[in-house]
Amino acid sequence: MSKKIGVIGGGIVGSSIAYFLSRYDDAEVTLFEKATIGSGTTAKSAATFCLIDDSVAHEFWSVRLFGFKFYTGLEQDEPGSTGFEKTGTLTVAPYKDYEMYVQQAVDLTVASGYRAEYWRDHAKILEVIPDLNLDGALGAGWCPDDGFFDATMLANTLVRRARGAGANVMTGTKVEDITTRGDKVTGVVTDKGDFALDAVIDATGPWARTTAGYVGLELPLWHTKAEVFILVPAAGLEYPFPILKYPRFYARKDKDNIFICKAHMTMDLSDTTHAGIWDPDDLPMTGGTDAYFWEFLTGELFEVYPRLLESSIGNEWVGYRAEPPDFLPILGDTPVEGYMLAAGAGGNGVIEAPTIGRDMARFAMTGEKSWYLERLPLSRFSDVGKVVAEAQATKLQR
Ligand SMILES: Cc1cc2nc3c(=O)[nH]c(=O)nc-3n(C[C@H](O)[C@H](O)[C@H](O)COP(=O)(O)OP(=O)(O)OC[C@H]3O[C@@H](n4cnc5c(N)ncnc54)[C@H](O)[C@@H]3O)c2cc1C
């Protein structure tokens, strides 16, 4: 007998779940998206996919690797369907712990069959970005094989494939309630009618506090501001621009310009400038950045990349990252039978979406939990204070 599964949210996470669910012959999949596919946080993303990167801890290396192989596999299969730009990544290490982290990432990258090196020789680093000020830098990791994707394009490619495999995709359809009998999900109420379902997977990103409220759950989920500037360098750049990562900010090319953003691991959930609980529907597509962000960024650039200060601002926007207190997603079952969560991907949703999609689909269809789902259940927040203390203790110094 087939199983009727509803996925709420057509961002990169929900699209991936719908794609993997549609591989099961006995899954009847309906994806509900209130706007268009990939138009939420996903549309505002840098979608960098760096192999040498501290935003997803090495504990989750297989998550990073599976995601990268999955997306580059899609690109190989259907060139132009992921927006992949293979720019490489330069990750500069300003202090010892960070250096060790980068060196471990280099080893993992090489062991996984990709190219990577760690350089202490500043002249080598300056061959990649000649304008950097490397005073105080210990070295840098370089991987020429990675780059960034177009997250909205990825989501649309996955949904197109899911639809081709039989999934029902309902865009412009808002889920307004989740119905239950006893403590079990029976379906959803939408602005286009009611749907009877065996299970619902909530992949609404920063909206998940609202949708979880439909089944009476209060999620430990904050919004952090992901503020972006598109810098237009005054004299243009006469070298290919890779992804540039420092512990506190990162940059990548955006056509002939530079996309620049504060690293999400620097966000402090107790600082009201960075974090809060807001209504994602109030966010405009462009504009809305805070003065503090400009000050932060000019300070960073002044120290390490003064040439970029000679730029005008071509565009700016703010996205809300959905962050649980340990900055890791919430995955799997909940106290409400048939209501599952794939929320809180924070600043790593593009990297994590393929593994989340694969593992959530398997769990929904077979009941089998991967180690990833076992590691990141909602139940880990029964003592939020303890989780926050542990997360702080393991955070790299910024
Ligand atoms: C500036 C910025 C830079 C980033 N850079 C990176 C990066 O380099 N690498 C990386 O891996 N990640 C990055 N991220 C994070 C990544 O983009 C997010 O984690 C990811 O896009 C979240 O995807 P999602 O599907 O969970 O949420 P969303 O994309 O927000 O999707 C949720 C969807 O649910 C829909 N929805 C909400 N409520 C309802 C409802 N009631 N009914 C129907 N539909 C509903 C919304 O319309 C939305 O489309 C970045 C994020 C930002 C903002």
Side-chain angles (χ1 to χ4, degrees):
M1 214 176 70
S2 65
K3 214 168 169 180
K4 289 186 180 149
I5 316 266
V7 179
I8 317 177
I12 187 70
V13 173
S15 301
S16 173
I17 295 169
Y19 168 85
F20 281 100
L21 276 171
S22 72
R23 310 283 107 183
Y24 289 82
D25 289 339
D26 51 347
E28 255 183 67
V29 189
T30 307
L31 174 66
F32 303 96
E33 166 52 55
K34 70 185 178 67
T36 56
I37 299 300
S39 61
T41 322
T42 297
K44 294 182 165 178
S45 184
T48 54
F49 207 124
C50 312
L51 292 168
I52 305 176
D53 171 19
D54 65 319
S55 60
V56 180
H58 293 329
E59 175 193 359
F60 300 105
W61 179 257
S62 67
V63 172
R64 186 186 297 281
L65 194 60
F66 176 69
F68 191 63
K69 284 181 185 278
F70 177 72
Y71 291 146
T72 49
L74 283 180
E75 181 63 31
Q76 237 172 5
D77 190 45
E78 202 183 338
S81 64
T82 69
F84 183 47
E85 290 210 35
K86 190 173 166 179
T87 57
T89 301
L90 185 73
T91 308
V92 181
Y95 53 85
K96 191 68 196 164
D97 279 1
Y98 201 82
E99 179 179 62
M100 276 175 64
Y101 193 91
V102 170
Q103 288 171 319
Q104 287 169 347
V106 167
D107 284 356
L108 287 164
T109 302
V110 171
S112 305
Y114 296 98
R115 293 170 296 167
E117 289 177 53
Y118 187 78
W119 300 325
R120 287 218 168 84
D121 178 359
H122 285 191
K124 291 281 283 181
I125 303 169
L126 294 174
E127 276 174 27
V128 181
I129 303 190
D131 301 317
L132 287 181
N133 174 9
L134 293 172
D135 289 352
L138 301 181
W142 168 242
C143 171
D145 289 337
D146 58 14
F148 63 90
F149 293 88
D150 178 326
T152 298
M153 197 189 285
L154 277 174
N156 280 279
T157 294
L158 292 173
V159 165
R160 177 167 45 78
R161 287 179 174 227
R163 196 184 259 131
N168 179 23
V169 178
M170 302 205 48
T171 52
T173 305
K174 182 176 182 188
V175 172
E176 295 177 328
D177 203 0
I178 299 170
T179 51
T180 51
R181 188 173 305 121
D183 239 357
K184 182 171 179 351
V185 164
T186 53
V188 293
V189 175
T190 79
D191 56 1
K192 300 278 164 60
D194 299 353
F195 292 78
L197 297 166
D198 297 313
V200 166
I201 302 179
D202 189 336
T204 54
W207 286 267
R209 280 188 82 103
T210 305
T211 41
Y214 297 158
V215 292
L217 290 178
E218 194 180 327
L219 292 189
L221 203 66
W222 280 257
H223 297 129
T224 64
K225 285 185 188 171
E227 305 189 73
V228 175
F229 285 126
I230 303 296
L231 300 181
V232 183
L237 287 173
E238 60 282 351
Y239 43 86
F241 195 80
I243 297 169
L244 171 65
K245 293 200 79 115
Y246 276 83
R248 287 153 58 85
F249 78 93
Y250 63 94
R252 68 151 166 86
K253 85 190 255 277
D254 182 83
K255 301 191 179 70
D256 295 331
N257 303 323
I258 307 291
F259 179 128
I260 196 155
C261 189
K262 194 169 191 284
H264 89 278
M265 295 303 282
T266 61
M267 291 287 151
D268 176 354
L269 296 184
S270 61
D271 181 338
T272 52
T273 333
H274 295 178
I277 295 169
W278 298 299
D279 182 352
D281 282 326
D282 289 343
L283 265 184
M285 272 319 274
T286 58
T289 53
D290 290 303
Y292 99 91
F293 176 56
W294 180 239
E295 281 161 29
F296 160 81
L297 209 57
T298 47
E300 297 290 312
L301 292 180
F302 184 74
E303 272 183 34
V304 301
Y305 203 163
R307 180 178 167 187
L308 267 197
L309 289 173
E310 294 159 30
S311 304
S312 55
I313 298 175
N315 200 355
E316 59 180 294
W317 62 81
V318 182
Y320 288 156
R321 308 179 188 98
E323 297 284 16
D326 58 1
F327 291 73
L328 292 166
I330 304 173
L331 304 175
D333 52 353
T334 70
V336 181
E337 197 184 334
Y339 174 75
M340 294 173 238
L341 281 164
N348 296 317
V350 176
I351 295 171
E352 294 164 343
T355 307
I356 294 177
R358 181 196 65 189
D359 292 5
M360 287 298 297
R362 178 149 69 105
F363 179 55
M365 293 309 296
T366 68
E368 280 173 47
K369 267 189 196 175
S370 66
W371 69 267
Y372 193 41
L373 267 56
E374 295 276 12
R375 171 73 176 80
L376 300 173
L378 175 62
S379 57
R380 74 187 188 275
F381 297 109
S382 53
D383 183 349
V384 174
K386 188 164 161 257
V387 175
V388 173
E390 282 168 4
Q392 288 301 338
T394 54
K395 245 180 168 185
L396 287 169
Q397 175 206 332
R398 304 272 162 180

